[in-house]
Amino acid sequence: MIINNTSQVTSLDTVQLRRIADGIRAGEGWDALAEEIQCSNGAELMVETCRSLGLEWLETDDIQIAPEAIEGFPLKLIHRFEIFPLERDGHVLKLAVTNPFDFNAVDTVSTSIECEVVPVVADSAIVGRLIKKYLGVGAETVDGLVAAQRQQFGDVEMLEDLDLDGSEDAEMAQQASVVRLVNEILSEAIENRASDIHIEAQESGIKIRYRIDGVLQKQPTPPEMNQFQAAIVSRLKIMAKLNIAEKRVPQDGRIKLRVLGREVDIRVSIIPMLHGEGVVMRVLDKENLKFSLRGIGMSEEVYENFQKLIRLPHGIVLVTGPTGSGKTTTLYSALAEIKSEDTKIVTTEDPIEYQLEGINQIQVQSKVGLTFAACLRAILRHDPDVVLVGEIRDLETAENATQASLTGHLVFSTLHTNDSAGAFMRLSDMGVEPFLVASTVEGVMAQRLVRRLCPDCREAYRPDPADLPEDFPMEKFLETDGWLYQPKGCESCRGTGYRGRMGIYELLVANDEIRELANQGAASIEIKKAAVRSGMSTLRVDGWLKAIDGITTIQEVLRVTKAD
């Protein structure tokens, strides 16, 4: 526990302390008071106040709190007085308080748990993070609102009107406690850069997980939250304009919000499961999106070659990789690079993830026959220069894309293959004639996402060469004096050691040798060998180079790639 001692001389006089006490009780912030009392900032004023009162102060929430300090502590007092138990030693409890003059809080806690209370002053943000860290997402809402039913709904604002049917489920979902709880789940996820929110119904109760930087992280939830499970799902259905009464079939919807001042789109998928309905929400944060090929991790060589591909007058450019590997981001970044007033770009997507200014986007509607293939046929009558097809899934779409490229259009699309060379065989397997595949495919980009090391806490280390993978490029590694980096964990990365993600890439540019092999229906391994001979770096090699540069780790590269 990082708590500073306060044995220094008193620096504030009685008049100043009285003014601070009145200001804090009236809800004035430390920063506002600091300006009035001519202190440099709120943090310094808090420290000087603690010194004057002979109190300790808490500098950070990066501390370990023993379970016995929290066990049996009344949750309603935590939220009523904005306090948190830090350490318990027999009949003495150290208590974090945001208001050093709130003697009522200290007396109430002392009476409730029959313990001597020693106050430790902390900023309200630190206390808030301690509550979420040790009591879980929704802890504040569950206990505080069940007790007080406060009407303040936080930092989440709906951008569309809600349709309420007056049913019992709808009434329950509109209770202030449920609204606040759902809002806190959403705002917490967005604040922590989560790409997906998983709300799962388990036999033991509700389970909430956020996917952050591609890895699911379980969020602690208080037991009292289980009683809100059905109400949470109902609230989300109302927000996504879904049928609140239908609980037997899957439903998909969309929510438009303004969260923490940012516009956010959330795709909602609800599926009935054994113990209740499961919810997965894809978070599309418009404010954090900057589609730029420079910013997604391409090496200079890959960037230059890809720039040439996306500026060709016709042909097919494919991006391959598994679900969630960043294919859409790469394609959108390519479109952002080439869009202009003299170029007409039309896309057909399922679903449209992001709305792009200056680009015409079509949402696939399979139920009414508006498939990728049907869209593509219609698009060609709109005189496009560039066409993006969200995914080539079947022969009809593949043939239409091929014909579009042969008639003078540049076509971007995605495929699900393990590497770039596999795209040629995949199209042939769908039924496209090999000679058409060979003549139309100009390039294939395979990619994966790896987590970036947190720049604030990454640690340099010198590995034992015997522990490195067999295909690790030792010559390149030794040029850096044999140092690599590993994750450590700090407050800015939530203790994971990683912050953000980047792509690793394998760009195959079709040449005469590769076209001849594709025309002959050669195996993917033969096409890959030819591409490597012509200078292509594989996914694995690109990953190793980024690990050597200290951007990611060997473990991340091993997680998403296999040996060549």
Side-chain angles (χ1 to χ4, degrees):
M1 186 175 295
I2 307 174
I3 298 177
N4 288 328
N5 265 325
T6 56
S7 56
Q8 300 191 28
V9 180
T10 298
S11 55
L12 296 172
D13 59 36
T14 305
V15 174
Q16 290 174 315
L17 287 172
R18 187 177 295 115
R19 172 67 188 99
I20 295 169
D22 293 338
I24 295 296
R25 290 193 187 103
E28 296 180 47
W30 287 100
D31 286 328
L33 291 167
E35 185 175 351
E36 179 182 332
I37 297 177
Q38 297 183 345
C39 215
S40 61
N41 54 54
E44 183 176 319
L45 178 61
M46 188 189 77
V47 170
E48 294 300 322
T49 302
C50 291
R51 287 175 176 162
S52 301
L53 297 174
L55 299 176
E56 296 177 315
W57 72 91
L58 186 64
E59 284 187 326
T60 176
D61 61 300
D62 187 20
I63 56 176
Q64 291 298 318
I65 295 178
E68 56 266 22
I70 304 172
E71 189 175 348
F73 194 94
L75 290 181
K76 62 183 179 182
L77 298 183
I78 289 178
H79 306 297
R80 185 191 304 170
F81 297 115
E82 203 176 6
I83 57 178
F84 198 83
L86 299 175
E87 183 179 326
R88 190 165 185 169
D89 185 11
H91 289 286
V92 178
L93 173 76
K94 282 194 172 182
L95 183 72
V97 300
T98 55
N99 181 358
F101 305 97
D102 193 353
F103 307 114
N104 182 38
V106 174
D107 292 340
T108 303
V109 171
S110 180
T111 303
S112 299
I113 62 175
E114 299 180 350
C115 208
E116 179 186 349
V117 175
V118 177
V120 177
V121 183
D123 184 81
S124 59
I126 289 178
V127 172
R129 289 195 292 268
L130 287 173
I131 291 172
K132 288 176 181 175
K133 181 177 180 181
Y134 288 97
L135 300 184
V137 174
E140 178 177 358
T141 303
V142 171
D143 195 82
L145 275 173
V146 170
Q149 291 292 299
R150 292 186 349 210
Q151 296 298 316
Q152 181 184 349
F153 291 165
D155 296 316
V156 177
E157 176 189 351
M158 291 293 301
L159 297 181
E160 297 177 329
D161 293 334
L162 300 182
D163 298 324
L164 303 176
D165 58 11
S167 66
E168 184 178 342
D169 285 345
E171 290 297 325
M172 180 176 64
Q174 285 301 102
Q175 292 178 11
S177 54
V178 177
V179 174
R180 280 270 305 192
L181 179 53
V182 170
N183 288 355
E184 186 178 343
I185 292 170
L186 296 175
S187 59
E188 176 81 359
I190 292 164
E191 189 176 351
N192 287 301
R193 302 177 294 102
S195 61
D196 300 87
I197 305 168
H198 293 241
I199 301 176
E200 300 162 347
Q202 305 287 327
E203 185 177 10
S204 57
I206 193 169
K207 181 178 178 182
I208 297 177
R209 295 190 288 176
Y210 297 154
R211 189 176 294 280
I212 301 173
D213 295 335
V215 178
L216 279 173
Q217 297 181 16
K218 183 181 178 183
Q219 306 301 307
T221 55
E224 295 86 354
M225 196 167 172
N226 294 332
Q227 64 183 295
F228 291 92
Q229 180 175 314
I232 289 172
V233 176
S234 295
R235 171 64 182 170
L236 290 169
K237 283 182 177 179
I238 290 173
M239 295 171 75
K241 300 185 182 300
L242 302 177
N243 185 349
I244 191 172
E246 182 56 77
K247 301 179 181 179
R248 300 165 298 172
V249 298
Q251 297 189 67
D252 294 316
R254 197 163 194 149
I255 303 172
K256 290 188 176 181
L257 300 170
R258 183 175 288 111
V259 182
L260 303 171
R262 308 202 303 261
E263 282 195 22
V264 177
D265 276 356
I266 297 178
R267 289 212 319 262
V268 182
S269 175
I270 299 178
I271 300 179
M273 296 187 178
L274 180 61
H275 299 291
E277 293 176 284
V279 183
V280 174
M281 292 176 279
R282 169 63 58 87
V283 179
L284 307 173
D285 188 351
K286 298 178 181 179
E287 299 292 326
N288 278 346
L289 283 175
K290 295 179 181 177
F291 294 116
S292 165
L293 290 177
R294 281 287 187 191
I296 58 179
M298 290 184 187
S299 66
E300 192 61 34
E301 182 180 1
V302 169
Y303 174 78
E304 290 177 0
N305 288 332
F306 195 61
Q307 282 282 347
K308 295 174 184 176
L309 283 177
I310 65 178
R311 285 176 165 78
L312 290 172
H314 55 78
I316 298 176
V317 177
L318 297 171
V319 179
T320 76
T323 301
S325 59
K327 300 188 296 295
T328 300
T329 300
T330 297
L331 288 175
Y332 279 1
S333 299
L335 294 182
E337 292 263 341
I338 63 175
K339 73 174 182 179
S340 65
E341 289 299 324
D342 56 3
T343 301
K344 177 151 186 175
I345 302 174
V346 186
T347 78
T348 174
E349 305 168 62
D350 183 23
I352 297 173
E353 293 196 8
Y354 304 105
Q355 298 175 25
L356 302 175
E357 183 66 29
I359 294 174
N360 306 280
Q361 297 173 274
I362 303 171
Q363 169 69 55
V364 166
Q365 302 283 356
S366 299
K367 292 180 181 178
V368 296
L370 190 62
T371 61
F372 279 123
C375 281
L376 189 47
R377 286 196 301 270
I379 286 171
L380 295 181
R381 294 194 287 272
H382 270 240
D383 186 31
D385 298 295
V386 179
V387 178
L388 185 150
V389 182
E391 183 182 346
I392 296 178
R393 298 176 179 172
D394 51 39
L395 174 59
E396 188 180 7
T397 308
E399 286 182 335
N400 286 339
T402 302
Q403 290 302 318
S405 70
L406 289 172
T407 54
H409 303 88
L410 182 60
V411 180
F412 294 140
S413 192
T414 69
L415 271 180
H416 286 286
T417 62
N418 290 325
D419 58 15
S420 55
F424 295 90
M425 181 174 287
R426 179 81 180 96
L427 290 173
S428 297
D429 288 344
M430 284 183 183
V432 182
E433 292 292 341
F435 76 90
L436 287 176
V437 176
S439 60
T440 57
V441 175
E442 297 292 340
V444 185
M445 174 85 84
Q447 66 180 76
R448 300 289 188 276
L449 291 179
V450 294
R451 291 182 291 174
R452 290 178 183 265
L453 278 165
C454 175
D456 295 334
C457 66
R458 65 174 188 166
E459 275 188 336
Y461 74 103
R462 192 183 292 275
D464 185 341
D467 295 334
L468 296 173
E470 291 183 4
D471 61 338
F472 194 77
M474 291 301 297
E475 290 185 11
K476 182 72 175 177
F477 171 59
L478 294 174
E479 290 176 10
T480 64
D481 296 327
W483 290 96
L484 290 175
Y485 288 87
Q486 62 188 0
K488 180 183 179 184
C490 65
E491 185 176 337
S492 63
C493 63
R494 300 186 72 205
T496 63
Y498 297 96
R499 197 169 72 203
R501 289 187 291 175
M502 67 181 303
I504 57 174
Y505 301 94
E506 174 182 290
L507 179 58
L508 183 155
V509 179
N511 57 23
D512 291 342
E513 182 184 6
I514 290 171
R515 293 188 195 279
E516 182 60 32
L517 289 170
N519 189 31
Q520 296 170 2
S524 297
I525 186 64
E526 297 302 321
I527 294 176
K528 185 172 185 175
K529 288 178 180 177
V532 171
R533 285 196 297 271
S534 65
M536 181 185 81
S537 289
T538 64
L539 283 168
R540 185 86 155 189
V541 170
D542 193 41
W544 290 146
L545 295 178
K546 287 180 168 67
I548 291 171
D549 289 340
I551 304 172
T552 188
T553 63
I554 285 180
Q555 291 73 25
E556 278 295 290
V557 178
L558 292 172
R559 181 174 67 87
V560 301
T561 66
K562 65 176 185 178
D564 297 318

